[in-house]
Amino acid sequence: GEDVEQSLFLSVREGDSSVINCTYTDSSSTYLYWYKQEPGAGLQLLTYIFSNMDMKQDQRLTVLLNKKDKHLSLRIADTQTGDSAIYFCAEKTGGGNKLTFGTGTQLKVEL
Amino acid sequence: GAVVSQHPSWVICKSGTSVKIECRSLDFQATTMFWYRQFPKQSLMLMATSNEGSKATYEQGVEKDKFLINHASLTLSTLTVTSAHPEDSSFYICSASGNGVQSLHFGNGTRLTVT
């Protein structure tokens, strides 16, 4: 079955790195995504990783995938106050574009 | 980049009335659109998958007669909440899928409040 879990809350100081974790159960996931949601807004795609990759880096964002443990993480380097938001991981299984979202992690960046 | 427009961004309606939410893909043809519902501080729950020119596929537990979905063209899908009740108050988000593996784009959501 599909079940995607995240820790609910993360607080970091500005300039530090943030690491947001996600675990999933469906081993047939093809792509895994990270989305950002600001208050009252829709979802903004941050990055994604194909299931046969271990790591992907995109500017301040680094995605790590441990397929064996079904664990995905998002590292944000030099976290800024503008990074404060809810972050959702999502997995895609099968051939369509249907996504299963994680429970979301609220990131709070303090000065 | 690809843009998905969702309208209205917020709506307040009285209990018993119906509300229509539109989701438009502005610069690409969306063969499939998805409708999600999000309660405060919770994740997105997929309600239904809307395919252009065919009936929507509803997720388990979603009443198809209450949440009517129409996907009459490749750029427009609508969700109508019929006979709305306060428990239908929620944030509704659509996403549109075009061609290509990564082409899934989200609207900015509609905040529905039923009084």
Side-chain angles (χ1 to χ4, degrees):
Chain A
E2 303 167 347
D3 196 13
V4 185
E5 301 278 341
Q6 297 176 239
S7 51
L8 287 179
F9 190 77
L10 176 65
S11 179
V12 299
R13 299 186 102 165
E14 189 177 41
D16 288 349
S17 293
S18 307
V19 179
I20 302 171
N21 294 301
C22 171
T23 57
Y24 59 98
T25 57
D26 194 333
S27 58
S28 64
S29 297
T30 53
Y31 285 86
L32 294 125
Y33 302 81
W34 283 104
Y35 285 89
K36 176 182 180 183
Q37 186 181 34
E38 299 190 35
L43 271 69
Q44 173 193 352
L45 176 64
L46 292 176
T47 187
Y48 65 91
I49 188 168
F50 187 47
S51 60
N52 69 354
M53 296 170 63
D54 299 323
M55 185 184 88
K56 180 178 179 181
Q57 186 158 0
D58 184 1
Q59 299 182 339
R60 293 191 297 124
L61 305 178
T62 303
V63 179
L64 294 178
L65 175 61
N66 182 328
K67 199 172 181 181
K68 173 175 168 288
D69 294 338
K70 300 189 187 68
H71 183 266
L72 180 75
S73 68
L74 173 69
R75 179 178 180 269
I76 305 173
D78 188 25
T79 313
Q80 302 297 306
T81 54
D83 295 324
S84 293
I86 300 176
Y87 290 80
F88 291 96
C89 62
E91 62 172 347
K92 181 165 78 169
T93 56
N97 272 331
K98 176 181 172 180
L99 299 184
T100 300
F101 284 86
T103 46
T105 299
Q106 170 104 47
L107 174 64
K108 182 179 179 183
V109 182
E110 299 174 328
L111 296 172
Chain B
V3 176
V4 172
S5 173
Q6 193 172 336
H7 179 81
S9 55
W10 61 270
V11 57
I12 301 173
C13 71
K14 291 187 174 180
S15 187
T17 61
S18 295
V19 174
K20 180 185 283 188
I21 303 170
E22 294 186 346
C23 183
R24 293 181 185 272
S25 55
L26 297 185
D27 56 0
F28 67 102
Q29 292 186 326
T31 52
T32 305
M33 289 185 175
F34 300 89
W35 286 97
Y36 293 87
R37 182 174 182 176
Q38 184 181 32
F39 289 105
K41 300 189 186 302
Q42 293 190 26
S43 186
L44 282 74
M45 301 302 297
L46 180 65
M47 298 174 67
T49 303
S50 169
N51 297 298
E52 187 267 336
S54 63
K55 288 184 179 179
T57 304
Y58 289 81
E59 296 297 302
Q60 193 173 7
V62 178
E63 297 176 62
K64 62 180 181 181
D65 294 328
K66 181 166 185 63
F67 298 100
L68 300 179
I69 291 172
N70 185 286
H71 193 158
S73 77
L74 283 170
T75 59
L76 174 64
S77 175
T78 60
L79 168 68
T80 301
V81 182
T82 62
S83 186
H85 290 283
E87 57 264 30
D88 298 324
S89 298
S90 190
F91 193 57
Y92 293 86
I93 304 177
C94 72
S95 66
S97 172
N99 294 319
V101 178
Q102 302 316 319
S103 59
L104 184 64
H105 308 280
F106 283 81
N108 279 330
T110 297
R111 170 76 58 196
L112 169 64
T113 302
V114 184
T115 61

